[in-house]
Amino acid sequence: MASVTPDASQVEALIERLREIDPIAAAEPERIRVVHAPGRVNLIGEHTDYNDGFVLPAAIDLGVTIALVPTDDRRVQLTLAADDDRDGFDLDAVGPRTGRWIDYIAGTAWALAGSGISTRGFRGLLVSDLPSGAGLSSSAAIELASAWALAGGDRPEVDPIRLAQIAQRAENEYVGVNSGLMDQFAVACGRADHALFLDCRSLEYRAVRLPPGVSLVICHSGAPRKLAASEYNARRADCDRAVAAFSMIDPGVRALRDVTPELLAAGRDLLDDVAFRRARHVVSEDGRVLDTLAAMQIGDLPAVGDTLRASHVSLRDDFEVSSPALDALVAIAALVPGVIGARLTGAGFGGCTINLVHDDAVALLVEAVADQYASRTGLTPRTYVVHAAEGARRID
Ligand code: GLA
């Protein structure tokens, strides 16, 4: 079973701390609630979400937790447990973004209101065990935890996929990052012990049981993500350019999702080299997600490993979002017996790799990374053994 983050004593400590720092919480401790939203790791299907394609992420047991007491004064006030930094805003006068962490909460309130969903004020305390800037969706976790906090700590009155879209709108239009739906989807809809297969066009999804005896190991490269937002937007523009060219051959093409391998080949001479390689990544990655699903269904783990490896190569050579540090982590993992497959996860440009590892080989991988990575790269790695977890929820 997936473990619960955080455990009961940590929840107690968080509630206690909120009572210490907030007079409303101190006066009415019985009204305190605690909500949690997980981070996510993507098994496969990278840079496919904004191309109407397929993704296979899982929510994980690292995430963002908010202890809160709902109020009727339309005021949101939140403190970060890490450094006691405090910020807030009025629900009826959410201003423009500030460039601070509060933007994720204010943006979520703004997007909920824009969808006609009622919100409540609260006083809260936020704690996170998700490394930020690591590509594990800490921003989506803050957004979804906020959505629950803004619903007074209860389940928001909207289905989880719609809630994910609202959080994505906060990210795109308020925070100003042009991401796809995958992160908010995984954080909202996660299921313990399962990955989630999402068709980003129809928005149909299903939970896919992870193979027994296999662990998810995340290796953090320790390298800050460089130019992630501008490079991400540049990749989106490359994909749009490719779509425009393919739609000249076949007017039915609305997104790279519609490009078949045959059409891809026909486009080779029509597209500039960069747009062609971006398209080749997306078209082949969609195929690899389906291949991974099929292989998981019949328990063919070596085939799953092949798709993960091929995904990394394609992200490295065609989509060009890897880094020497991520390549080193993948190379180290490739030589560890019992590692099924490894690839970069998330947007790339630094951040983490995901490793599918037979349970009895986890220690070997952790050791290999500890022994070899720093001397190869000069960077300090961090490894996390995670479990697929439930999506955003109340945990008190
Ligand atoms: C980031 C974005 C997602 C997705 C991935 C790449 O995590 O937020 O929407 O595009 O990059 O797969």
Side-chain angles (χ1 to χ4, degrees), residues 40 45-47 49-50 179-183 232 346-347:
R40 70 97 188 87
E46 221 64 87
H47 292 276
D49 60 351
Y50 54 84
S179 51
L181 183 62
M182 173 172 70
D183 303 350
Y232 186 90

Side-chain angles (χ1 to χ4, degrees), residues 289-313:
V289 177
L290 300 179
D291 290 348
T292 305
L293 271 183
M296 276 170 65
Q297 219 123 40
I298 56 168
D300 185 351
L301 295 179
V304 172
D306 288 343
T307 62
L308 265 62
R309 272 187 293 280
S311 170
H312 185 80
V313 169

Side-chain angles (χ1 to χ4, degrees), residues 172-380:
N172 292 172
E173 295 179 33
Y174 189 90
V175 179
V177 177
N178 205 15
S179 51
L181 183 62
M182 173 172 70
D183 303 350
Q184 288 81 8
F185 157 73
V187 171
C189 301
R191 179 139 165 231
D193 304 322
H194 290 71
L196 305 165
F197 170 68
L198 173 68
D199 176 334
C200 297
R201 173 168 280 168
S202 69
L203 300 185
E204 278 166 33
Y205 70 95
R206 64 188 157 89
V208 181
R209 199 170 180 87
L210 288 168
V214 173
S215 295
L216 302 177
V217 182
I218 293 171
C219 296
H220 189 329
S221 63
R225 287 193 304 168
K226 280 205 202 109
L227 297 174
S230 60
E231 287 293 330
Y232 186 90
N233 288 340
R235 294 302 178 282
R236 289 196 69 147
D238 294 341
C239 292
D240 290 346
R241 209 163 67 249
V243 170
F246 283 118
S247 66
M248 310 263 281
I249 315 181
D250 177 349
V253 171
R254 286 188 287 136
L256 289 179
R257 158 71 173 273
D258 302 312
V259 175
T260 58
E262 296 71 37
L263 185 56
L264 179 72
R268 176 137 222 170
D269 297 330
L270 201 74
L271 272 69
D272 63 87
D273 176 59
V274 169
F276 176 76
R277 286 187 292 115
R278 304 301 189 243
R280 184 165 61 187
H281 165 71
V282 174
V283 172
S284 60
E285 185 80 350
D286 275 338
R288 282 187 291 270
V289 177
L290 300 179
D291 290 348
T292 305
L293 271 183
M296 276 170 65
Q297 219 123 40
I298 56 168
D300 185 351
L301 295 179
V304 172
D306 288 343
T307 62
L308 265 62
R309 272 187 293 280
S311 170
H312 185 80
V313 169
S314 177
L315 287 160
R316 184 190 66 198
D317 298 344
D318 274 354
F319 220 68
E320 295 181 282
V321 293
S322 190
S323 66
L326 292 168
D327 294 344
L329 284 172
V330 168
I332 292 166
L335 296 179
V336 177
V339 171
I340 297 159
R343 53 178 288 280
L344 73 83
T345 187
F349 318 108
C352 297
T353 60
I354 172 71
N355 301 260
L356 243 56
V357 188
H358 287 289
D359 288 346
D360 55 8
V362 170
L364 282 179
L365 173 64
V366 172
E367 206 179 291
V369 170
D371 283 352
Q372 301 167 38
Y373 181 72
S375 59
R376 276 173 88 144
T377 61
L379 294 162
T380 309

